[in-house]
Amino acid sequence: AAEAAGDGPVRVGRVGAGAGATAFKLDGFDRAVPTGIGVASERVGGATVTALAVSNAVGGLRDPERGAWLAGRDVPLDQVADLFAPAGTATSLVALLTDARVDKAGCRALAPAGHVGIAHVTRPSHTANDGDTVFVAATGAVASPGVAALGVAAQRATARAILYGARAGAAA
């Protein structure tokens, strides 16, 4: 990854951590849908929040704005326990980056916003077999509009990045 790094556009789809990522393992690995790395940014005030995300989730991915499933289908709650979902085989990974001045406590406060973004598009999300993780970093280059505003931007950017990664992964 370090050798492939550069200052050009972020590669998306089935590269890096997205190379083997799939979503909707509930019906078994043979029916899981390929996903990939996605990126999305949100502006709030003079700051930007960018999410780099990959979904390798047990659950499916649904675009709530379009009402369309990108991976999987609706699963009634009483059937979830009966479906295939092995432990230790799934996770969603998110890196949230902002140019706002946010201290360590503020970064820690933004991490749950990334989890909200995951939950917004993943059904079901955060299962006992998912190992979802969100990392946050801030450069401090611009004034912060406040952690609350940055949190909403982080939620939106995370959800959009996951969906973009799923679309890019399916197109590969």
Side-chain angles (χ1 to χ4, degrees), residues 65-137:
E65 291 181 15
R66 297 180 184 176
W69 285 94
L70 298 174
R73 60 181 167 75
D74 192 28
V75 178
L77 290 176
D78 61 342
Q79 295 177 16
V80 170
D82 297 331
L83 298 173
F84 181 82
T89 59
T91 190
S92 292
L93 301 173
V94 178
L96 288 172
L97 313 164
T98 183
D99 56 358
R101 281 189 284 281
V102 181
D103 62 11
K104 187 175 181 178
C107 286
R108 197 169 32 252
L110 287 176
H115 286 282
V116 172
I118 293 169
H120 192 61
V121 296
T122 309
R123 300 285 186 269
S125 73
H126 296 89
T127 72
N129 295 341
D130 283 300
D132 302 329
T133 303
V134 177
F135 300 93
V136 181

Side-chain angles (χ1 to χ4, degrees), residues 13-27:
R14 299 196 58 75
V15 298
T22 59
F24 199 66
K25 296 169 181 65
L26 289 170
D27 282 340

